[in-house]
């Protein structure tokens, strides 16, 4: 990739890498006999939705706008789960959904007589087990508001409910899923025996280099064999679709020498453009970084938030104004979570394919202004 031909800053999706992810997901889908759908909260790069829909079985939406995007750009109706449904949006939402999952029994009671007969309804439950270190990303804690707690459900699915949904993984392996399933089955065995479908949520890092797809396939086959009543198992990863499928291209605008370690001031911001690096938190990789050298730098975001920096990284040579800094693995979640805090512009969006860069979208003052009034 010749970064000098790419406007800075830009999120650049590398098509070849996306296709590799999609092929693996399709393989798992076919071998295990399940449906994999794309979670828009993690991957909403809609220019490639026509490609995604050739491999996956559709998409999951967590709001009216996500469902609309699925309908418009993938040409299919969504599996929809909203943590809470908005009364004024419900009719429009159900017109573009095949499945609706409810987060509480009260929400189901509120909407059950309004749901169109063609829609398959489900309940989200808390499976009672997860292995997620950061509470911000853990939906299966004992007091979580996401998913009905076990003690609130009896041994019979409410009339009209056909599916059970759980989401308890975050960047986890199939071995963690195995332990989540053990807890889920222990708590909900009679209900699973009555369901037509089970949605096992997202967080399956199927496309990461050390994931064991064959173990996942076996696990799903065993589950299916145990419950012949289950017609469909659904997985809804977001991250795995866009995992390592592109970069954020940025440029050094200044080098601030304050303190012990100099800071390369970039034309991007951690808080605006890579918020998970601060929230999770984690250190993104930079292309060309080395393990140790004499050239050690912090990277500074362009907002005036004091904590809008991260560090440190080492490089082979001294950084200069104008150098490109390429943050790896910046396609999932980042592009949907960006903000215009400080009036900072959003990075452009583009695709690298057939050895060429295609610019899809640029942003400007109007995008900032139109979010405000
Ligand atoms: C209900 C639900 N499904 C799917 C996902 C996608 O998870 P991931 O992108 O980690 O695969 C999430 C993420 O928060 C979620 O909350």
């Amino acid at each position: 990739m010749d970064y000098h031909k790419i406007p800075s800053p830009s999120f650049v999706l590398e098509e070849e890498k996306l296709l590799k992810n999609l092929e693996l997901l399709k393989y798992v889908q076919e071998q295990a006999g399940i449906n994999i759908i794309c979670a828009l909260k993690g991957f909403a790069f809609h220019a490639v939705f026509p490609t995604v829909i050739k491999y996956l079985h559709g998409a999951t939406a967590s709001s009216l706008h996500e469902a609309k995007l699925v309908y418009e750009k993938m040409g299919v109706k969504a599996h929809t789960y909203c943590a809470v449904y908005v009364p004024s949006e419900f009719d429009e939402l159900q017109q573009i959904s095949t499945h609706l999952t409810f987060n509480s029994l009260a929400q189901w009671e509120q909407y059950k007589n309004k749901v169109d007969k063609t829609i398959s309804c489900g309940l989200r439950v808390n499976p009672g087990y997860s292995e997620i270190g950061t509470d911000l990303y853990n939906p299966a804690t004992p007091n979580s508001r996401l998913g009905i707690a076990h003690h609130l459900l009896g041994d019979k699915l409410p009339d009209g409910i056909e599916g059970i949904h759980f989401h308890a993984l975050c960047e986890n392996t199939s071995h963690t899923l195995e332990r989540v399933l053990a807890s889920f089955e222990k708590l909900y065995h009679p209900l699973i025996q009555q369901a037509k479908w089970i949605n096992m949520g997202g967080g399956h890092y199927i496309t990461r280099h050390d994931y064991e797809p064959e173990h996942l396939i076996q696990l799903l086959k065993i589950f299916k064999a145990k419950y012949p009543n289950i017609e469909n198992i659904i997985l809804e990863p977001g991250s795995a679709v866009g995992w390592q499928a592109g970069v954020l291209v940025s440029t050094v605008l200044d080098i601030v020498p304050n303190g012990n370690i100099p800071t390369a001031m970039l034309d991007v911001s951690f808080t605006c453009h890579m918020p998970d690096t601060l929230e999770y938190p984690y250190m993104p990789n930079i292309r060309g970084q080395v393990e140790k050298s004499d050239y050690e730098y912090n990277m500074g975001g362009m907002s005036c938030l004091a904590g809008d920096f991260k560090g440190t990284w080492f490089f082979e040579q001294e950084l200069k104004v104008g150098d490109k800094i390429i943050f790896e693995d910046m396609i999932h979640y980042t592009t949907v979570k960006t903000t215009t805090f400080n009036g900072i512009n959003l990075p452009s969006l583009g695709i690298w394919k057939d050895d060429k860069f295609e610019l899809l979208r640029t942003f400007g003052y109007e995008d900032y202004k139109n979010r405000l009034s």
Side-chain angles (χ1 to χ4, degrees), residues 12-57:
V12 184
L13 185 143
E14 296 172 70
E15 193 193 53
E16 210 181 308
K17 295 182 178 172
L18 174 73
L19 292 177
K20 216 172 129 218
N21 288 349
L22 291 171
E23 263 152 30
L24 178 57
L25 293 171
K26 187 169 182 230
Y27 169 79
V28 169
Q29 187 170 242
E30 287 172 354
Q31 294 300 309
I34 59 152
N35 287 345
I36 299 187
I37 60 178
C38 171
L40 259 70
K41 69 196 90 192
F43 187 83
F45 210 108
H46 57 73
V48 295
F49 278 5
T51 305
V52 172
I53 195 65
K54 286 186 193 148
Y55 292 81
L56 305 185
H57 230 268

Side-chain angles (χ1 to χ4, degrees), residues 39 41 81 124 165 167 201-204 236-239 333:
K41 69 196 90 192
Y81 156 74
R124 176 168 171 174
H165 178 291
H167 169 70
H204 316 267
E236 47 175 38
S239 284
Y333 285 96

Side-chain angles (χ1 to χ4, degrees), residues 111-131:
Y111 290 104
K112 69 178 184 190
N113 295 325
K114 297 196 178 98
V115 177
D116 191 276
K117 295 281 170 283
T118 57
I119 293 178
S120 185
C121 291
L123 295 178
R124 176 168 171 174
V125 302
N126 186 333
Y129 181 84
S130 58
E131 296 176 7

